[in-house]
Amino acid sequence: MPNHYISATDGVPAEVRGRAMVVKKLKMLPVECVVRGYITGSGWKDYQASGHVSGIELPPGLRESQKLPTPIFTPSTKADEGHDEPIDITQAAEILGDAELAGRLRDVSIAMYSYAAELAAQRGVILADTKFEFGLDADGQLILGDEALTPDSSRYWPVEGYEPGHGQPSFDKQYVRDWASGTGWDKSPPAPEIPDEVVAGTRAKYVEAYSLVTGEPFEAWVSRTAA
């Protein structure tokens, strides 16, 4: 699948090297492409309530964090304000104004998730779910844009100790969410300042995820892009 990446060095100002990149400009599609391989998070809540996730009927008796028989496509809206809302493939087609394009987004997203999940499993990590975003270039070609398979857009669990029936330890931003919920914050602005130890703990989880998934130390990426 072609993607928008051009360079992390050429054309990138020195002051943002290592945390910025030059990319191809796209007309982004107004649908977020979520793929779930395990039943967890908001999908678990929907399943408990109805036995369905994004209009897809799932087998009865699934346990929290259990692997699904096959990965499922559970798109969502892309909200300018507030939270994204889950939708089904029919609603995605209506938003896009193109049923064929919606079907292609589903097929490509599931294929990429399946490839990435297999690769992650070989390296001791479970890719429970992830989100992709796509856009069209000037020629109308479908292009993968934004981040892909990062701990921000994905839910990663360690293979070691995995056991369905409850929530799993993760490498994602749940670490920050757990801290925030423990402060009593009602999610209204302004947000409380995050303590240094929570920042450091979150960074450590992201660095560990990077090293496991890519098979190289995070410092190697920093050295390449800072040069």
Side-chain angles (χ1 to χ4, degrees):
M1 185 68 200
N3 67 74
H4 70 166
Y5 175 80
I6 295 176
S7 176
T9 53
D10 295 344
V12 179
E15 60 268 24
V16 292
R17 284 275 179 90
R19 55 192 178 92
M21 60 182 68
V22 178
V23 300
K24 189 174 187 178
K25 187 173 183 178
L26 305 175
K27 179 183 178 182
M28 299 303 291
L29 299 175
V31 169
E32 301 208 332
C33 297
V34 180
V35 182
R36 302 175 189 272
Y38 292 74
I39 188 69
T40 188
S42 61
W44 170 243
K45 292 179 182 177
D46 292 344
Y47 172 74
Q48 286 181 298
S50 67
H52 294 71
V53 180
S54 290
I56 301 170
E57 184 176 1
L58 297 178
L62 293 177
R63 294 181 291 164
E64 184 180 4
S65 305
Q66 186 171 341
K67 186 175 183 179
L68 297 172
T70 58
I72 59 174
F73 180 66
T74 61
S76 70
T77 61
K78 192 182 293 187
D80 292 329
E81 295 182 5
H83 297 286
D84 300 329
E85 297 294 334
I87 54 177
D88 59 27
I89 185 70
T90 301
Q91 292 169 307
E94 291 173 353
I95 291 171
L96 294 166
D98 188 331
E100 184 179 349
L101 178 57
R104 188 171 179 215
L105 290 177
R106 175 197 58 208
D107 295 345
V108 168
S109 297
I110 290 176
M112 290 198 301
Y113 166 84
S114 299
Y115 172 82
E118 182 178 349
L119 183 66
Q122 295 171 7
R123 294 174 174 170
V125 186
I126 294 171
L127 177 58
D129 52 46
T130 195
K131 177 204 74 174
F132 299 112
E133 296 195 40
F134 297 89
L136 302 176
D137 67 10
D139 297 322
Q141 183 180 20
L142 186 65
I143 308 287
L144 174 65
D146 199 32
E147 61 188 306
L149 302 166
T150 71
D152 260 0
S153 63
S154 313
R155 201 185 311 261
Y156 285 110
W157 301 331
V159 169
E160 185 176 356
Y162 165 71
E163 181 184 51
H166 53 79
Q168 309 295 312
S170 65
F171 294 106
D172 60 26
K173 53 193 173 188
Q174 192 62 44
Y175 189 86
V176 177
R177 291 194 187 104
D178 291 344
W179 168 81
S181 64
T183 65
W185 178 46
D186 63 1
K187 298 186 179 181
S188 299
E193 184 173 349
I194 302 176
D196 290 345
E197 61 269 21
V198 175
V199 173
T202 304
R203 182 185 186 280
K205 286 182 175 292
Y206 278 45
V207 167
E208 183 180 2
Y210 176 90
S211 300
L212 287 170
V213 172
T214 64
E216 71 167 12
F218 181 69
E219 289 73 16
W221 160 259
V222 175
S223 297
R224 282 201 307 274
T225 56

